[in-house]
Amino acid sequence: MDRMTASPARKVLLAAPRGYCAGVDRAVIAVEKALEQYGAPVYVRHEIVHNKYVVKTLEKKGAIFVDETEEVPEGNIVIFSAHGVAPVVHEEAARGKLATIDATCPLVTKVHKEAVRFAKEDYDILLIGHEGHEEVIGTSGEAPDHITLVDGPEDVAKVEVRDPDKVVWLSQTTLSVDETMETVDALKGRFPNLLSPPSDDICYATQNRQTAVKQMGAEADLVIVVGSKNSSNSVRLVEVALGAGARDAHLVDYAEEIDETWLEGVSTVGVTSGASVPEILVEGVLEWLAQRGFEDVETVKAAEESITFSLPKELRRDLRAEARAAVEG
Ligand code: 0K2
Ligand code: SF4
């Protein structure tokens, strides 16, 4: 073929890290272990993680997802999702005589504890996060009288506090790092003595996935993010890709959702996935692309991840008891 008319080589840039974070891995395993340990059905309040495939797969194994604790029949087991719950939800479960397994990610619990501490010290807490998101509802519930939600920089002008010198900001764990810093800068413009959280609230997994997609963004004609529409961290990856210079970016649950027309004039495709996305779904996307000439896959590595969390304590206790009983015969 004439060199001038040859189409440019097609390649895939595959982000690393991508997919499951430690908190999601723990939460999904918690549901699986609970099903093995106690038998179906096991109730789960809210989607254990925001991923359609995960939810469907666990439903097939006997998990029943409910919106509210009140829907769980008395005497059953209910698992709380990775996004965390307000204290009032624990109270509802106790009233309903439910056994609970709390799969809240320890990094979300850390933010809950910060909220409790600053509320005790009588700070006004500005919680940066998305209105209506499950995590924000849970964190706000720790100190409803002290917390005001700030949903992005455009919300800053309307924030009201009791004492501008006694204000702290906290955040949802799965936000855009850059947009959050914009919000914080705007808040600091209004409250120069604004206190910052003792350590990053946006978690390591959210940050690393955004860093990786930024690295590939400028080079990619198209970025495909695997993740569900209600997954905050997955949606953020699409925005970060576009912000980093990708010509086009889309969120898909499955390879079948990719539109052939997105590939028109495209030679480099970036692929990544949200923190709630099993790798099998990314493999499906890579296969789909390979069938269309995108066989060359290059990894873009932004960070190493080795963090893991132990299972929720209620499960560990029962698994230990079972092991003891087996040993004692
Ligand atoms: O990104 P989101 O907070 O919407 O949640 P998922 O997609 O379920 O990802 C896991 C994060 C859970 C808690 O931080
Ligand atoms: Fe935990 Fe971060 Fe994963 Fe959320 S995204 S479950 S905070 S590790």
Side-chain angles (χ1 to χ4, degrees), residues 83-103:
H83 317 92
V85 293
V88 68
V89 175
H90 285 279
E91 290 158 22
E92 285 164 13
R95 271 201 304 278
K97 300 191 173 39
L98 305 176
T100 58
I101 296 175
D102 190 355

Side-chain angles (χ1 to χ4, degrees), residues 24 49-50 82-83 108 133 135 172-174 230-233 275-276:
V24 165
V49 297
H50 292 148
H83 317 92
V108 173
H133 189 280
E135 182 183 326
Q172 190 179 326
T173 57
T174 51
N230 61 342
S231 166
S232 167
N233 78 87
S276 46

Side-chain angles (χ1 to χ4, degrees), residues 48-113:
I48 186 75
V49 297
H50 292 148
N51 186 266
K52 267 191 198 174
Y53 175 91
V54 170
V55 168
K56 266 194 205 153
T57 308
L58 292 173
E59 270 173 347
K60 280 188 204 140
K61 292 183 181 174
I64 298 177
F65 291 89
V66 295
D67 292 329
E68 296 302 335
T69 316
E70 280 95 346
E71 295 170 49
V72 183
E74 206 176 289
N76 275 279
I77 295 169
V78 64
I79 302 181
F80 297 140
S81 80
H83 317 92
V85 293
V88 68
V89 175
H90 285 279
E91 290 158 22
E92 285 164 13
R95 271 201 304 278
K97 300 191 173 39
L98 305 176
T100 58
I101 296 175
D102 190 355
T104 303
C105 175
L107 299 180
V108 173
T109 303
K110 185 198 81 169
V111 183
H112 281 225
K113 286 184 178 155

Side-chain angles (χ1 to χ4, degrees), residues 83-87 108 111-113 115-116 125 127 133-144 147 170-172:
H83 317 92
V85 293
V108 173
V111 183
H112 281 225
K113 286 184 178 155
V116 170
I125 301 166
L127 178 65
H133 189 280
E134 197 60 19
E135 182 183 326
V136 155
I137 295 170
T139 308
S140 300
E142 291 286 358
I147 296 183
L170 301 178
S171 88
Q172 190 179 326

Side-chain angles (χ1 to χ4, degrees), residues 30 44 101 103 106 137 201-202 252 327:
V44 184
I101 296 175
I137 295 170
D201 285 348
I202 300 181
V252 297
V327 169

